[in-house]
């Protein structure tokens, strides 16, 4: 079994995956461990919940790796965790992962956005900073934006709280010589959804995985601490039955 945790980054993941991957909603703490206990041979982490619930725990990723489960990360929460756990064998995929590793991106909120619930197709309500940066790079390449205007827009977006990053708020904060409507038109016309591109790359890597656990000896030791054991014991399987 190959499991991908994905939601707003690739809202049509279920259709794209067909019957080759098991698609589960954005992960929260315990979900990666649950997938391991359910028999996953490979796990792809794209989207994850935070703020109102505990996010994916690094310890459960390390446990998965110690059990021979391949763990891929990209695009959103997956890129963050992959950058943090790369030295332990988690495989990071895509441009956003590269940015976190290189230090070009540092804040967790660079990938965050507000979105509608699963029932409404995870429709985006705000724009993630990483996508704005990718869009500005494209517009610079096309010479549709000056270097000065691009820097102004990026500074404006960076200064906004992630829940406030809408096209209108960006245009108002940027205060360029170009009118707000014209600015939004340029950004929308050249919009690059880097998160989706990276998410699709991860799904392809997961699809190509052989689907068997690879028990390669780690260069590190997983320590089952008392806290880990307390978290492990009561955890139910994804079916709701005792594991």
């Amino acid at each position: 079994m190959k499991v991908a945790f994905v939601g707003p980054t690739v809202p049509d993941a279920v259709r794209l995956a067909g019957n080759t991957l098991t698609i589960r909603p954005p992960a929260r703490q315990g979900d990666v461990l649950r997938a391991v206990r359910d028999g996953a041979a490979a796990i792809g982490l794209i989207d994850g919940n935070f703020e109102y619930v505990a996010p994916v725990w690094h310890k459960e990723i390390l446990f998965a790796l110690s059990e021979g489960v391949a763990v891929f990360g990209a695009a959103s929460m997956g890129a963050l965790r992959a950058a943090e756990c790369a030295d332990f064998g988690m495989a990071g995929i895509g441009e956003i992962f590269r940015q976190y590793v290189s230090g070009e991106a540092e804040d967790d909120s660079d990938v965050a956005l507000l979105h509608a619930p699963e029932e409404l197709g995870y429709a985006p309500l705000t724009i993630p900073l990483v996508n704005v940066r990718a869009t500005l790079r494209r517009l610079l390449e096309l010479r549709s934006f000056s270097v000065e205007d691009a820097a102004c827009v990026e500074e404006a977006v960076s200064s906004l709280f992630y829940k406030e990053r809408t096209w209108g708020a960006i245009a108002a904060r940027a205060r360029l010589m170009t009118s707000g409507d014209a600015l939004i038109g340029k950004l929308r016309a050249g919009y690059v959804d880097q998160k989706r591109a990276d998410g699709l790359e991860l799904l392809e890597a997961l699809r190509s995985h052989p689907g068997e656990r690879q028990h390669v000896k780690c260069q590190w030791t997983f320590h089952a601490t008392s806290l880990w054991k307390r978290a492990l014991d009561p955890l139910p399987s994804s079916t709701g039955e005792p594991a």
Side-chain angles (χ1 to χ4, degrees), residues 136-167:
L136 290 172
R137 283 195 297 271
R138 180 182 181 185
L139 292 173
L140 284 170
E141 290 170 359
L142 296 174
R143 299 186 179 181
S144 295
F145 252 48
S146 69
V147 173
E148 293 77 15
D149 282 356
C152 185
V153 171
E154 182 168 352
E155 182 180 353
V157 181
S158 298
S159 69
L160 289 166
F161 183 45
Y162 82 90
K163 293 182 179 181
E164 300 171 348
R165 288 172 180 157
T166 63
W167 291 124

Side-chain angles (χ1 to χ4, degrees), residues 193-211:
D193 192 343
Q194 190 63 55
K195 289 184 68 173
R196 178 178 174 84
D198 288 5
L200 292 175
E201 189 176 344
L202 182 146
L203 293 178
E204 186 56 39
L206 195 59
R207 189 178 289 110
S208 300
H209 187 274

Side-chain angles (χ1 to χ4, degrees), residues 156 160 166-176 179-181 183-184 187:
L160 289 166
T166 63
W167 291 124
I170 292 169
R173 184 67 64 92
R175 296 179 180 176
L176 301 180
S179 71
D181 288 343
L183 171 65
I184 293 171
L187 291 170

Side-chain angles (χ1 to χ4, degrees), residues 81-93:
R81 289 294 181 264
E84 295 156 347
C85 297
D87 288 345
F88 299 93
M90 184 173 178
I93 292 173

Side-chain angles (χ1 to χ4, degrees), residues 103-154:
E104 292 176 51
E106 296 180 348
D107 199 299
D108 291 6
S109 69
D110 289 1
V111 294
L113 80 160
L114 286 180
H115 58 82
E118 181 180 4
E119 293 77 12
L120 296 176
Y122 296 111
L125 304 177
T126 58
I127 303 128
L129 177 55
V130 290
N131 284 358
V132 175
R133 286 176 177 153
T135 300
L136 290 172
R137 283 195 297 271
R138 180 182 181 185
L139 292 173
L140 284 170
E141 290 170 359
L142 296 174
R143 299 186 179 181
S144 295
F145 252 48
S146 69
V147 173
E148 293 77 15
D149 282 356
C152 185
V153 171
E154 182 168 352

Side-chain angles (χ1 to χ4, degrees), residues 29-31 33-34 37 230-237 241-243:
Q29 190 173 107
D31 285 346
L33 173 56
R34 188 173 290 108
R37 300 180 89 180
R230 286 199 299 272
L232 185 68
D233 288 343
L235 187 72
S237 69
E241 300 170 350

